[in-house]
């Protein structure tokens, strides 16, 4: 094991540990990392000595803050297509994690956003802590939830998933469990002991039982108290009507949410709402990933992704110049175009 590698692999007992090792970049995923994780899982699936996999992030700030946004920005500005190749492999990895034949334990401590959700929330044993902040914050940079995020959020109770998809809001442990993005709450100071105990789990059936021994009730979340206005407002058919309902609700938190939505990319908001609603009817993660790949490819060649990353990450002026700048100027045809088939460039996971 080379500590300079972006993905560290080591085995304890019968458990393969995968550690994302870019702590200075909040363990943001690169193409090399995606390939490394995929190769490790391929080997582990066929290795009888490995009964479970645990994924975690190096450092104490989080599992993973997402993909390498700067690389995507530079790629798009230069007219290259490396990001499309990255997404193709990343989404295939997300599907592999969901179908992995052995317990896949994700330690979702600290920041878990975007691509970090993709390498964790599709696992079958997902652990959050009091430090967890889980989000799909794509609309704020002119992008749309991907890595299977639309599939996960579409399955959340009521309209909670729609709320999280459009706002990109980060949630804590209890709300992550409520929304189906996590399973167990383990205090962060017990993670080391949990990891040691997992190494003694000789059979797959023992893994979940071991996690439960260290789990406890999470501190109260925030979403349950807001379910009434969230479910009412986000049940509307359009983003414009959702915002109108939020403003007219008489609830201060709802009005604040409306103000926040108006700062996001109008195109990304409308495409995200359509993506979540369409995903509800698709029925499988693979079909959702195929749809997300179409949307991501279209967003990559559009205006708002580059502009959003410039404003939020590169120049940090927090003043993106969206195009179109107003929700009313994003047509139904503009939205529908994001979902058009890609011909021979399709991801094709649902067909496998």
């Amino acid at each position: 094991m080379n500590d300079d590698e972006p993905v560290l692999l080591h085995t304890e007992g019968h458990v393969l540990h995968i550690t994302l090792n870019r702590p200075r970049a909040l363990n943001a995923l690169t193409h090399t990392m995606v390939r490394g994780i995929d190769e490790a899982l391929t080997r582990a699936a066929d290795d009888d000595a490995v009964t479970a996999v645990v994924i975690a992030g190096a450092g104490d700030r989080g599992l993973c803050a997402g993909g390498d946004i700067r690389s995507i920005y530079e790629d798009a500005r230069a007219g290259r297509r490396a990001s499309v190749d990255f997404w193709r492999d990343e989404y295939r990895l997300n599907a592999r994690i969901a179908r992995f034949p052995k317990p896949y334990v994700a330690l979702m401590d600290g920041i878990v956003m975007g691509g970090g959700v993709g390498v964790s929330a599709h696992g079958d044993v997902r652990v959050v802590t009091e430090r967890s902040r889980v989000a799909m914050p794509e609309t704020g940079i002119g992008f749309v939830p991907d890595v299977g995020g639309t599939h996960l959020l579409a399955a959340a109770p009521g309209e909670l998933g729609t709320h999280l998809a459009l706002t990109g809001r980060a949630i804590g442990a209890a709300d992550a469990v409520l929304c189906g993005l996590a399973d167990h709450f383990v205090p962060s100071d017990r993670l080391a002991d949990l990891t040691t105990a997992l190494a003694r789990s000789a059979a797959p059936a023992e893994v979940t039982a071991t996690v439960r021994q260290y789990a406890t009730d999470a501190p109260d979340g925030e979403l349950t108290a807001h379910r009434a206005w969230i479910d009412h407002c986000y049940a509307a058919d359009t983003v414009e009507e959702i915002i109108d309902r939020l403003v007219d609700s008489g609830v201060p938190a709802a009005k604040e949410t409306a103000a926040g939505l108006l700062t996001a990319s109008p195109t990304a908001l409308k495409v995200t709402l359509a993506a979540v609603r369409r995903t509800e009817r698709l029925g499988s993660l693979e079909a959702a990933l195929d749809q997300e790949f179409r949307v991501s490819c279209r967003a990559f060649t559009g205006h708002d992704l580059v502009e959003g990353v410039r404003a939020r990450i590169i120049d940090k002026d927090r003043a993106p110049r969206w195009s179109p700048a107003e929700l009313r100027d994003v047509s139904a045809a503009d939205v529908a175009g994001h979902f058009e088939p890609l011909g021979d460039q399709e991801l094709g996971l649902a067909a496998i």
Side-chain angles (χ1 to χ4, degrees), residues 6-20:
V7 176
L8 304 179
L9 305 174
H10 75 279
T11 301
E12 291 184 29
H14 296 278
V15 176
L16 170 65
H17 289 266
I18 300 175
T19 303
L20 308 183

Side-chain angles (χ1 to χ4, degrees), residues 206-345:
E206 297 176 8
V207 172
T208 299
T210 299
V211 173
R212 285 176 176 160
Q213 289 175 4
Y214 287 84
T216 186
D217 293 334
D220 290 342
E222 301 176 1
L223 290 178
T224 298
H226 299 296
R227 279 292 301 276
W229 64 262
I230 287 175
D231 286 350
H232 169 70
C233 295
Y234 288 94
D237 292 331
T238 67
V239 176
E240 291 94 331
E241 187 179 353
I242 288 171
I243 291 175
D244 287 343
R245 289 189 184 188
L246 290 168
V247 171
D248 295 339
S249 68
V251 179
K255 292 183 178 181
E256 291 173 9
T257 298
L261 287 174
L262 290 172
T263 69
S265 159
T267 299
L269 288 174
K270 286 199 169 183
V271 175
T272 294
L273 180 62
V276 172
R277 297 281 164 82
R278 285 169 176 248
T279 301
E280 291 172 352
R281 302 188 293 271
L282 291 177
S284 75
L285 170 62
E286 287 79 5
L289 287 164
D290 285 346
Q291 176 177 273
E292 290 174 355
F293 186 70
R294 297 181 196 115
V295 170
S296 296
C297 288
R298 295 297 169 19
F300 181 71
T301 58
H303 168 274
D304 280 5
L305 176 58
V306 169
E307 174 60 13
V309 176
R310 180 206 64 76
R312 304 277 181 171
I313 308 297
I314 306 301
D315 296 340
K316 299 182 180 179
D317 58 24
R318 301 283 174 174
R321 296 180 288 274
W322 306 123
S323 180
E326 303 291 338
L327 284 164
R328 64 175 176 268
D329 295 324
V330 181
S331 70
D334 292 335
V335 175
H338 284 74
F339 298 90
E340 290 296 321
L342 298 171
D344 60 3
Q345 297 302 306

Side-chain angles (χ1 to χ4, degrees), residues 6-67:
V7 176
L8 304 179
L9 305 174
H10 75 279
T11 301
E12 291 184 29
H14 296 278
V15 176
L16 170 65
H17 289 266
I18 300 175
T19 303
L20 308 183
N21 189 39
R22 296 183 69 214
R24 292 183 180 178
L26 271 171
N27 301 316
L29 292 171
T30 65
H31 205 162
T32 297
M33 294 168 73
V34 166
R35 288 171 174 157
I37 297 167
D38 190 78
E39 291 169 2
L41 292 180
T42 299
R43 293 191 299 269
D46 295 329
D47 187 347
D48 292 338
V50 174
T51 59
V53 170
V54 174
I55 189 166
D60 58 5
R61 297 171 64 197
L63 170 65
C64 174

Side-chain angles (χ1 to χ4, degrees), residues 148-194:
T150 59
H151 176 78
L152 293 164
L153 295 175
E159 295 294 334
L160 292 179
T162 309
H163 170 64
L164 296 179
L166 292 179
T167 63
R169 187 158 298 171
I171 55 176
D175 289 333
V177 174
L178 171 65
C179 292
L181 301 175
D183 304 299
H184 307 282
F185 172 79
V186 176
S188 59
D189 61 5
R190 303 195 74 190
L191 288 180
D193 291 340
L194 169 60

